[in-house]
Amino acid sequence: MSTTHTFTVTGMHCASCGLRIDDAIEDLPGVRRSTTSARTGRTVVEHDGLDPQDLAAAITAAGYGAELVC
Amino acid sequence: MNLLAVLLTGLFAGGLSCAAVQGGLLTGLLSRQRAAIPAGAPVTGGPPAGRQVSRQSPGGGWRRLGDDAAPVAAFLAGKLLSHTLLGLLLGAAGAALTLSLHVRAVAQLAAGVLVVVFGLAQLGVRGFRGLVIEPPASWRRLVRGRARSRTALAPAILGFTTVLIPCGVTLSVMALAVASGSAVAGAATMAVFVAGTSPLFAALGLLTTAATRARGAWQRRLAITTGVLLVGFGAYTFNGGLELTGSPLSASRIADAAGLGPPAVPIADPAGQGAQASADTGPVSITDGRQTVVITARTGAYTPANVQIQAGLPTTFVVRSSRAQGCVRSFVIPALKRQWTLPVNGDTRIELGTVKPGTLHYSCGMGMYTGKLTITERPA
């Protein structure tokens, strides 16, 4: 059963930041797909029922601010 | 083009998100590759262990850094190659624009504005802060795919593909490559920029967790330094466009109006019959009612920058090249709407006709180096 969570991400400057965040999140077991847009400042994560706090922690560990939207 | 300034920009920008974050992508790639090898996991296996654990093995930091040298070098080589090739293309596009002086000036003004805007975004100025140029999703997917590849060539290929995800600073340098007006200068501009980003990239990009904190502390300062450099660079480029159009708002005209321009070299021998322009007699000679003024074009300057000549005489303007290199070889007189390509050594003779009182400004093809002839009434 796939779940989707969206985060507002702060501290991104360019497309590389988005790629770095997606790279970090997709390293987590259970993540199917992560899509970050530096322009909109959002990360959408499709996963297999992970705790959103763990996803936010992965974004924070990569050096950015993360807040769960929905 | 001042490559030293481009190098400095790269040097500071190397610690910024776009360059240092790419280091994070490379780090992730290396960690996944390493995590896959000892476990004997198939390359298509599940996600590896967290990279931070594998990167912080006790006592292994320096050895790991040594191990990283080859892939980092491969990454930077790939990045250097793609950016240099792009610089070559951008410079060639710029060269096509330079066919027309007017288009060239407009292109340079546009490049200047673009670089200033990206500089202001870098500085976090309100209204510019949110400026993010995002490449198409397909390009980003391509780079991500390379970051997750497990082939031996993956670091080099990842480095090569980073050309698809330029940040504002890189885009600014691309604009400068176009404005350089030549394929070689464009390639050199991009190559020097990427080379400049390398030291901080290697230092910050590879030191994952510790560097993330250090980057946070330093990033603001680096962003401000890079932003200031870009705004200065953009203003300089924009002013070059103004010089090419002969605008009264260009820096050299404003300096003249404020009395800060170079003093005119006076006519050494106004009545000198038969005198030749030389170091002894000054740059102006008058023979049989004809006036000849000689200036020297060297790499980085035209000298003397301001020469006084007499009005009412048919005048030949001789630009004497002396080991001239770079954009001084492209010589522009905006008022005549004409440009000449000077030789490395030798004279270029420009017939000005009978000159009227006033000022005749000239500049290099990028508006970086300027000078003028001050035309005064004949002495009674």
Side-chain angles (χ1 to χ4, degrees):
Chain A
M1 175 73 180
S2 171
T3 313
T4 299
H5 279 109
T6 302
F7 299 86
T8 300
V9 179
T10 52
M12 286 195 286
H13 302 92
C14 60
S16 292
C17 293
L19 294 184
R20 174 90 176 86
I21 289 167
D22 291 336
D23 199 43
I25 292 178
E26 288 188 3
D27 270 354
L28 297 175
V31 171
R32 294 187 178 196
R33 188 185 174 95
S34 172
T35 311
T36 300
S37 165
R39 197 170 50 76
T40 61
R42 292 200 165 197
T43 296
V44 179
V45 187
E46 201 183 318
H47 57 91
D48 296 331
L50 297 178
D51 184 343
Q53 293 307 318
D54 290 343
L55 300 171
I59 298 173
T60 308
Y64 304 89
E67 197 175 322
L68 182 66
V69 178
C70 57
Chain B
M1 179 59 58
N2 190 341
L3 290 177
L4 184 65
V6 175
L7 183 73
L8 272 179
T9 307
L11 203 57
F12 291 112
L16 292 173
S17 58
C18 49
V21 168
Q22 287 169 10
L25 288 175
L26 177 62
T27 304
L29 182 149
L30 298 179
S31 296
R32 279 186 289 271
Q33 287 193 338
R34 286 204 188 95
I37 295 165
V43 290
T44 53
R51 77 187 59 160
Q52 286 169 14
V53 174
S54 67
R55 300 280 305 164
Q56 290 179 329
S57 52
W62 289 110
R63 199 177 335 125
R64 184 58 51 80
L65 275 182
D67 292 345
D68 284 344
V72 168
F75 175 91
L76 288 173
K79 186 175 177 183
L80 186 67
L81 179 65
S82 62
H83 283 72
T84 305
L85 287 174
L86 180 65
L88 195 78
L89 292 174
L90 293 174
L97 291 177
T98 62
L99 292 175
S100 152
L101 188 58
H102 176 70
V103 176
R104 177 184 197 148
V106 170
Q108 189 154 344
L109 289 170
V113 169
L114 193 68
V115 176
V116 168
V117 165
F118 281 126
L120 293 174
Q122 198 70 52
L123 287 171
V125 173
R126 194 179 290 273
F128 296 93
R129 206 178 297 161
L131 181 76
V132 175
I133 305 290
E134 196 158 67
S138 58
W139 293 13
R140 286 182 279 147
R141 271 199 299 275
L142 186 95
V143 179
R144 264 176 76 189
R146 301 292 74 74
R148 304 187 81 78
S149 163
R150 302 224 171 129
T151 66
L153 276 177
I157 295 170
L158 176 64
F160 191 89
T161 57
T162 55
V163 76
L164 298 174
I165 49 167
C167 64
V169 183
T170 311
L171 285 168
S172 301
V173 180
M174 288 178 183
L176 294 173
V178 175
S180 74
S182 101
V184 173
T189 301
M190 293 296 288
V192 163
F193 172 69
V194 171
T197 62
S198 300
L200 268 185
F201 167 86
L204 292 181
L206 285 172
L207 298 172
T208 57
T209 314
T212 301
R213 281 196 293 271
R215 207 159 57 216
W218 278 94
Q219 193 148 312
R220 188 72 201 132
R221 286 172 224 179
L222 289 168
I224 289 172
T225 310
T226 310
V228 168
L229 276 169
L230 284 181
V231 169
F233 231 152
Y236 186 58
T237 305
F238 186 82
N239 180 62
L242 291 179
E243 299 282 3
L244 287 180
T245 58
S247 165
L249 296 175
S250 65
S252 69
R253 304 290 179 95
I254 291 172
D256 284 351
L260 300 172
V265 175
I267 302 169
D269 179 13
Q273 296 294 308
Q276 289 297 307
S278 71
D280 295 333
T281 60
V284 183
S285 64
I286 300 167
T287 309
D288 299 333
R290 279 198 71 82
Q291 179 170 235
T292 303
V293 52
V294 182
I295 64 158
T296 304
R298 291 190 180 87
T299 304
Y302 299 108
T303 51
N306 184 2
V307 180
Q308 185 186 359
I309 62 172
Q310 279 188 32
L313 294 176
T315 302
T316 304
F317 187 14
V318 178
V319 185
R320 182 160 292 160
S321 299
S322 174
R323 287 187 287 173
Q325 296 290 350
C327 68
V328 284
R329 289 188 56 206
S330 173
F331 189 80
V332 175
I333 301 181
L336 302 182
K337 294 186 169 55
R338 286 193 62 189
Q339 57 183 330
W340 294 262
T341 301
L342 310 180
V344 176
N345 290 296
D347 288 358
T348 301
R349 299 174 71 83
I350 300 167
E351 296 300 336
L352 299 177
T354 302
V355 290
K356 294 177 183 163
T359 307
L360 189 72
H361 292 267
Y362 56 84
S363 79
C364 74
M366 292 189 69
M368 289 167 64
Y369 308 111
T370 59
K372 63 182 177 181
L373 302 177
T374 303
I375 309 165
T376 55
E377 296 285 0
R378 290 177 87 161

